[in-house]
Amino acid sequence: MKPLPWGDYPRIWIIGLVAVGLLARSAPAQDEQSDADLLKEARSHFEPLPKDMATAEFPVSPERVRLGRKLFFDPRISSDGAVSCSRCHLAALYATDGLPKSLGVHDQTLPRNAPTVLNAGLSFKQHWDGRFANVEEQAKLSLLGPGFGNPDYATAMARIRAIPGYVALFQESFPGEPDPISEDHWSKAIGAYERTLVSPSRFDDYLRGKPNALSTAERNGLRTFIETGCIDCHKGPGLGGLGFRKFGVASEYWKATGSPDIDKGRFGVTNDPADLYKFKVPVLRNVAMTPPYFHDGVINDLPKAVRIMAKVQLDIELSDPEVESLVTFLGSLTGTIPESFERAPVLPAGGFRPNSSASSHARTK
Ligand code: HEC
Ligand code: HEC
């Protein structure tokens, strides 16, 4: 190619500069437009977390929250004296235990994976199969389940009464009651505490109108989340927790997850064939911090869980960049753990801690 005469260079430079200038002006304008559209769309699917999850029926008085917090961390109410709510819902693991399936009293294995209790009050029902109406009912029945292993409520309440400092705390929380230590009050106090456990993240700042609270990569992930169809199930303030859906809409879940046994989910509660393999859509807040995944904890890492979701729920094979993008977005849902959860409270002294051979064996195993 013949070199251009020197005189032509300035013209090319000018054309080039004008073109670059136009691009530079219009590109951010376009970005701003699409950022605004994305925020608007996001607000139609999601909401920022509330300050707390109190309802008219279940208020959060400071006294109840203080008592409930102590009860949550107290191992002395379990039959072997070793299990508290916080044993399986550890602050250091974002209120989970990091196990595929939790271990209850005498190290017996529970049937499912422990979900986080952070933001759990947002869910329309509790447990993977929704067997409990709310966190209060969940806390009450926990006393008799394989986690705590009490034979009946009277035995559990006797364990609380054996700790003198609790009497005044129950009285303050439920004033005017002749016998304030009861399983209903235990569950209302723990429930009140749980209803304060919200973990806001940058995603909430974003939804409140700050597009830059999320990085460009996170916003692209959010777009992928919406466009792929994850929002069909994972929506609302918790990005889940609003209904039951079949796990395995497009294909059988256990083939994709390699689950060793087939859990029938909601069917186990209702016995209705329409509920076979239905599970509560889990809240995705803090999901990056709460492996292993799914009701049986068989999947260890988030990219794998996301790929399986797309395949079995939506019949979509995601590309590696799509998976990465979704995982990046999900990371923005990691919030701040409330200080009242991160730090264990001091408990009233006393009580009886059994030391049977079975429980000491379990503890030293
Ligand atoms: C031995 C371990 C263990 C202990 C102790 C334990 N949990 Fe859990 N928790 C679990 C497991 C496992 C599940 C899931 C059970 C299921 O869905 O079948 C669960 C579920 C929950 C849920 C439902 C969350 C959701 O998204 O559906 C809440 C709330 C909860 N636990 C609170 C508590 C409270 C409060 C206590 C103490 C009273 C407690 N847990 C004690 C293991 C435990
Ligand atoms: C048709 C409803 C539906 C759609 C669509 C859907 N999910 Fe889910 N998702 C569920 C259900 C139900 C579960 C619980 C499965 C189980 O039983 O373990 C779940 C579980 C998850 C989990 C595991 C959470 C945990 O704590 O173990 C992640 C992560 C997840 N979904 C992300 C996604 C992503 C990303 C998409 C889009 C690619 C998506 N989901 C699409 C219903 C859905």
Side-chain angles (χ1 to χ4, degrees), residues 18-58:
V18 168
V20 167
L22 281 174
L23 275 176
R25 245 204 3 224
S26 69
Q30 257 174 21
D31 279 358
E32 267 166 40
Q33 185 49 39
S34 64
D35 280 347
D37 288 348
L38 179 65
L39 178 56
K40 198 167 149 215
E41 165 113 45
R43 280 172 159 170
S44 71
H45 305 295
F46 313 112
E47 284 158 51
L49 288 175
K51 189 169 78 25
D52 60 45
M53 298 167 286
T55 64
E57 194 185 356
F58 299 108

Side-chain angles (χ1 to χ4, degrees), residues 113 115 128 224-225 228-234 243-249 253 277-284 287 290 292-297 302 305-307 309-311 313-314 316 318 326-327 330:
N113 170 263
W128 287 99
T224 311
F225 192 84
T228 312
C230 312
I231 43 148
D232 183 30
C233 301
H234 296 283
F244 296 114
R245 297 300 286 265
K246 186 174 176 189
F247 186 20
V249 175
Y253 78 78
Y277 318 120
K278 279 192 185 166
F279 292 87
K280 187 179 71 183
V281 178
V283 163
L284 294 185
V287 72
T290 61
Y293 299 107
F294 299 131
H295 64 265
D296 50 7
L302 192 51
V306 164
R307 201 182 285 283
M309 266 287 124
K311 186 160 191 282
Q313 300 303 78
L314 297 159
I316 293 174
L318 293 176
L326 286 166
V327 168
L330 293 174

Side-chain angles (χ1 to χ4, degrees), residues 72 83-89 97 101-105 110-117 120 123 125-129 131 135 138-139 142-143 146-148 186 190 194 280 283:
F72 190 94
V83 179
S84 59
C85 310
S86 58
R87 159 156 157 172
C88 307
H89 301 288
D97 57 13
K101 293 180 181 178
S102 302
L103 295 175
V105 285
L110 270 57
R112 298 197 179 110
N113 170 263
T116 179
V117 296
S123 286
K125 292 200 186 313
Q126 300 298 318
H127 277 204
W128 287 99
D129 58 11
R131 64 176 57 236
V135 289
Q138 197 283 333
S142 277
L143 286 168
F148 279 68
W186 144 282
I190 292 193
E194 288 180 287
K280 187 179 71 183
V283 163

Side-chain angles (χ1 to χ4, degrees), residues 190-246:
I190 292 193
Y193 172 55
E194 288 180 287
R195 286 174 188 275
T196 66
L197 301 178
V198 284
S199 65
S201 78
R202 288 181 292 114
F203 187 56
D204 299 286
D205 299 333
Y206 174 80
L207 291 176
R208 290 208 173 84
K210 276 200 205 148
N212 293 329
L214 298 190
S215 68
T216 309
E218 286 165 343
R219 276 175 292 174
N220 286 338
L222 166 60
R223 204 173 275 119
T224 311
F225 192 84
I226 294 170
E227 285 167 3
T228 312
C230 312
I231 43 148
D232 183 30
C233 301
H234 296 283
K235 53 192 165 195
L239 292 87
L242 301 180
F244 296 114
R245 297 300 286 265
K246 186 174 176 189

